[in-house]
Amino acid sequence: MPSLPDMTTPNVEALAADARAPRPDPAETVPELKPALFEGLCRLGDSTLVLGHRLSEWCGKGPALEEDIALANIALDLIGHTQMWLGLAAEVEEAGRSADDLAYLRDAMRFRNLLLVELPNGDMARTLMRQFLFDAWHHEMLERLTGSDSARVAEIAVKALKEVRYHLERSSDLVIRLGDGTAESHRRMAGALDMLWPYTGEMFAGDGTDAALAEAGIAPDPASLHEAWHGIVTEVLEEATLGVPEGRADVQKGGRQGRHTEHLGYLLAEMQFLQRAYPGAEW
Amino acid sequence: MYAQMVKSEASNDDPGMLAAFQARIDRGDKIEPKEWMPEGYRKTLIRQISQHAHSEIVGQLPEGNWITRAPTLQRKAILLAKVQDEAGHGLYLYSAAETLGISRDEMFEQLHSGRAKYSSIFNYPTLTWADMGAVGWLVDGAAIMNQVPLQRTSYGPYSRAMIRICKEESFHQRQGYHIMMKMARGTEAQREMAQDALDRFWYPALMMFGPSDKDSVHSQQSMAWKIKINTNDELRQRFVNETVPQAEFLGLTVPDPELRWNPDKEGYDFSQPDWDEFFEVLKGNGPCNRERLGARVRAWEDGAWFREGLTAYADKAAQRRAGAATAAE
Ligand SMILES: [Fe+2]
Ligand SMILES: [Fe+2]
């Protein structure tokens, strides 16, 4: 039973100050939550890492100079988010690992990113469509995380959201323009959407980890993001004259539990090469 | 340099106009796009600025080669930011050239067809992570040597582009030198990579300034017009003077047995690079010419549908707006 304030001598100022003070951070005060929190942070950080890496593969090879710059810029934002998410994950884990250790020294089965982001870039249509489908989810997720009961999580979400707002604006705009551009650009965008759609359901499929984090007020239940995501996606795809696919969206899943496509292993082999070949070296 | 061998164009303009123009340059006036300029001045500038722009764009590739293998998140972010800057430099420079009456598409066409050149340095491969250090330290270092004086060039848009670019270049050089420092003071394997990178990039970096031009008529014209500020040899000497102590600080050896301090000239004596190799690289026979140009051409061709799609949408949107305006009347 929590002690009640003394009603007879109310210290209004102190009560007001108390009300303003942050609620106790469940990430720091509830030790049983730490495994789920570590897992949840890796899910966020691994998705931004893998997508940032994929975008960086475009370097110098984009269809226009402005596109090269924009893709590098988004990749840079996502690597920045990775540093924050995996940095916090490493702190929470308290096992002496750093964000770099998590990024460079885990094998595929320990990665927790969405399958969607590890798929190869394909042409620019696929890269942009993947970005749009992810951005729409990412934006909604971060917006919800800004209200997290964990101050640390909320703080990162606030920083990342500013950038992701721009990512979503840009990818929506390009999806509309290219969907409603030439017959060829429409054909490519439609093909990309068709190919990627079965991977989108994973973003909303919760498991026990998600339930624990939602219960503690740290992160939203993934299923609760679906309505907003579907709203944005429908609006943009319709304006793009592409329309929402009818097929099932929840076919390809497992990345968030460590069961990946064949593509992730190659991505990691490349990304982790130096850390693996020269263990312990500083760069 | 990023523009290594720019032939200046003769002018057939009215001698009185030419003299008045030269007087403006000598006074330190900036020439702006809409003002009269000799045809030779315009053509030489287009050639020089576009060559510089092409170098920025092709220059993304040797470093892009290591972004996906950068060893830490921080290094990955820094390298991404750097390469993004280079693309931005390309953008500023293409825009500056466009003010002289050539379109970006025309300049790309000249690059892709092989008629326009870019710096020879980007035709060398980046083989280890230490090359990211060597490129930032030496290649951006050489670029700074050339670009700092060009901030005072006579053509306004070019000068302003250089001012913006120079602000970013010092970060590029510092990040490169920092990588070299980590490598040179790291494990034995890292030190070996660092020395190897210096061995491979030293002479190609010296080539960046172009062959000696002290007796060249073209250079004299460009210098009179202040679109070239120093001779190639002056800049190369300055670069060597500045870089040798930096190499010593790293504990690395400059691969030149003739290198020694010459107190009489207050500078180092050093060996010239192999100029035959330089001309071969310019002709297309460097180690990576085909890959580099091929990558740019492929990017351009693969991206055609994307650019056409955006143009088609913009046209439709304009028609819709026009239609709506007519309907409203
Ligand atoms: Fe540059
Ligand atoms: Fe640079």
Side-chain angles (χ1 to χ4, degrees), chain B residues 2 56 63 82 85-86 89 139-140 143 147 165 168-169 172-173:
Chain B
Y2 278 13
E56 301 282 0
E63 287 174 302
K82 189 214 181 237
D85 281 352
E86 305 300 7
H89 296 174
V139 176
D140 289 86
Q147 289 168 3
I165 288 173
E168 294 171 347
E169 290 297 354
H172 297 176
Q173 195 192 18

Side-chain angles (χ1 to χ4, degrees), chain A residues 39-53:
Chain A
E39 188 81 3
L41 291 166
C42 286
R43 287 172 174 184
L44 288 164
D46 289 348
S47 280
T48 54
L49 172 59
V50 170
L51 185 57
H53 182 95

